[in-house]
Amino acid sequence: MEQTLSLYKIFNTVAKTGNISHAGKELYISQPAISKSISHLEEALGTILFIRTSRGVKLTPEGKLLYEHTKSAFDMISQGEEQLKKMQDLGVGEIHIGVTTTLCKFLLLPILKEFLHEYPHIKINIECQSTADTISLLESGQLDLGLIIMPHSNPTLEFYPYIEIEDIFVCTKQYLKNLKKRYPADEKKPDIFRDANLMMLGKSNVTRQHLDHYLSTFDIEANAVLEVTDMDLLIDFAKIGMGIAGVVKEFVKKELESGELIELPIPFSIPKRTVVFTHHKSIIKSNALENFLDFVKQNLL
């Protein structure tokens, strides 16, 4: 096929220039080699393609028919090469990213804003679902990249650590003040897991599961838990004084700095977790994905 394509390219160039000498200069091939290639193609097709004239060569009716098709084919190849070069020059591409709604808002959106400022021609597709679903889609090749909490182990995925996050409990100063009023004067500080209105994400959420694990490890049982499906709502409920919320510290940084929320001391230590970008180890990374991963490495939090 490669040899046949070469013959058609030579034929197409001779037909376009109408001169074997000119075609040779354009293709950097000697005139005898071009004449030989045309003869081979005519023998393979069983027809005469050119008639020699005093000014060069002229297409036969059969040659004209073939040229219409080869010209169209090589024009399309040239257009494809031009489009590809344009894509490379502009950094055109597409990336499919899987992420939870919470990680998308608090971590992915900020870096996407900066990335798209530098690479405006890359299209980003976001699929929001649970971490388990994101991992499943990565393993089946339906996603290019995922932003997830680092799993304990997964031999099929490659990980790029992005940021460490810390789980804490927060409330307003007024809520804590009101909570203390419920306790006898001889108690130094309230037990937030005994009587407080404790607010946490739903049990299917990895953050909730992480907190539940450490609560159970220290034999702490929360008596009253209000389950919320969204981290934003959880933070908003805490801000209006509804109770004490189990949140990610990095997601309430602004509220902690302003004093709108305060971090409560707890009688045990919760290990930090690592948020990672991840893709399947066998994936063939596109230029767009390579650019994004390089950008992430340069902007680690």
Side-chain angles (χ1 to χ4, degrees), residues 230-292:
D230 182 87
M231 180 70 74
D232 273 335
L233 280 176
L234 199 59
I235 295 170
D236 287 340
F237 285 160
K239 285 160 64 174
I240 65 172
M242 276 189 64
I244 293 172
V247 300
V248 173
K249 187 172 185 176
E250 287 70 20
F251 300 167
V252 290
K253 184 178 179 182
K254 182 175 64 176
E255 289 81 0
L256 291 174
E257 289 176 349
S258 68
E260 188 174 13
L261 291 173
I262 59 172
E263 178 181 354
L264 295 171
I266 54 177
F268 57 93
S269 175
I270 304 176
K272 292 183 177 182
R273 297 178 290 161
T274 303
V275 178
V276 298
F277 282 100
T278 179
H279 63 73
H280 199 285
K281 286 183 176 179
S282 65
I283 191 175
I284 299 176
K285 295 192 286 291
S286 64
N287 288 337
L289 183 55
E290 289 278 16
N291 288 336
F292 184 80

